[in-house]
Every structure is written in structure tokens, then in C-alpha cells.
Amino acid sequence: MQSVELKHAYRLLNHGPTVLVGSHHAGRSNLMAAAWAMPLDFDTPKIAVVIDKATLTRELVEASGVLSINVPCVAQAELTRAVGGESGKDHPDKLHRCGVCFVPGPATGTPLVDGCTAQLECRVLPATAHVAGPHDLILAEVLGAWADERVFSQGRWHFEDAPPELRSLHHVAGGFFYATGEAVPAKG
């Protein structure tokens, strides 16, 4: 993984991938899949992600004020389905059961998932208090960002030059994903 300049961190989410949201507090870590995550700003980079108030991830994020966003690839489709289909509240050993390998993020301690093509460490913004309750929307500032240089370099994705298993996943409902497709150059 190579470090990504914060001014380019928004590009890691701009193409709408399914993400794995990492959380950590008081010695407990969790991970959930989320289809609704997006960049909000690029100077200072900010993101938004929907995290249901009934989840363990939300409890841990609210308690710690931090989270991670990990962009899984085609090779991690089953892992993504597994962590998205199992509750950390019901299964305290969820990460072990799902075979998740991660390292704690250097700034926040939140899980940075091995094999993901991009990772972001984030701090929850104070404005979240106004939207999280009624809308489950978490707003956060990006503190650090990393990407796999095989698919992201010089500030942009280049899936067309990488192995197909490194393309990002896009959830379309009912447990089905699509992979990022071919690049379409704009003319003009």
C-alpha cells in the first residue's frame, strides 16, 4: 500500500464502491459492509457513510469518534458478503469467524483490512450529531489514506491495467455485486 495525498483521498470513493467500515473502541473491533458511502469534500477531505444505529459498528464509532473505510475488491467478495451478513452484536468473534485479517490504523486503531485496494482512517465530525440520529448518516474527516499501487497511482484509479480480481465491488441488492468495468474516455 502506498500513501495517498489527502487532496486525492476523495477519489478513492468517488466511483461508488461498496466499502467495509471498520470500528474500534475499548479493545473491541468490528467491521461491516456498506453500500452507501461517498466523498463530501477534497480540501480538507471528508466522507459520508450510512451506518444504522442498531449495529455494533455504530456503537463503536459513536463511542470512539473514529472509523476506517476500506475498499474491497472482487477477490474479497465472499469476505464482504460474510461481514455484511453477520452481526457483531450476535457474534463477538465475527472477525475471526469471517476470516478478516487487519492491522490497526496508525492514527485511530480502527481496522485496516488486508487485501483491500484502498483504506482511509477518519475522525467523526461534530456536525454528525445533527444528522446521525434521524438519518444514520456519519460525516467524517479523512486523516490518512492508502491505496494499492497496482490499481491506484498518480491520483487516479487504473483498473483497466490491473488483474480483474483487483476491481472494486458495487452492491446492487439481494447479495449481488458488480465489478468496476472498463474505462470510457470522455471526448471533447
Side-chain angles (χ1 to χ4, degrees), residues 18-41:
T18 295
V19 299
L20 302 176
V21 180
S23 56
H24 179 82
H25 180 69
R28 186 147 189 215
S29 294
N30 196 46
L31 197 65
M32 66 170 268
W36 297 343
M38 62 181 264
L40 287 180
D41 200 353

Side-chain angles (χ1 to χ4, degrees), residues 36-60:
W36 297 343
M38 62 181 264
L40 287 180
D41 200 353
F42 54 90
D43 185 24
T44 308
K46 297 174 191 73
I47 59 102
V49 62
V50 174
I51 306 174
D52 189 291
K53 63 183 121 308
T55 65
L56 176 61
T57 294
R58 175 76 172 269
E59 286 180 22
L60 297 176

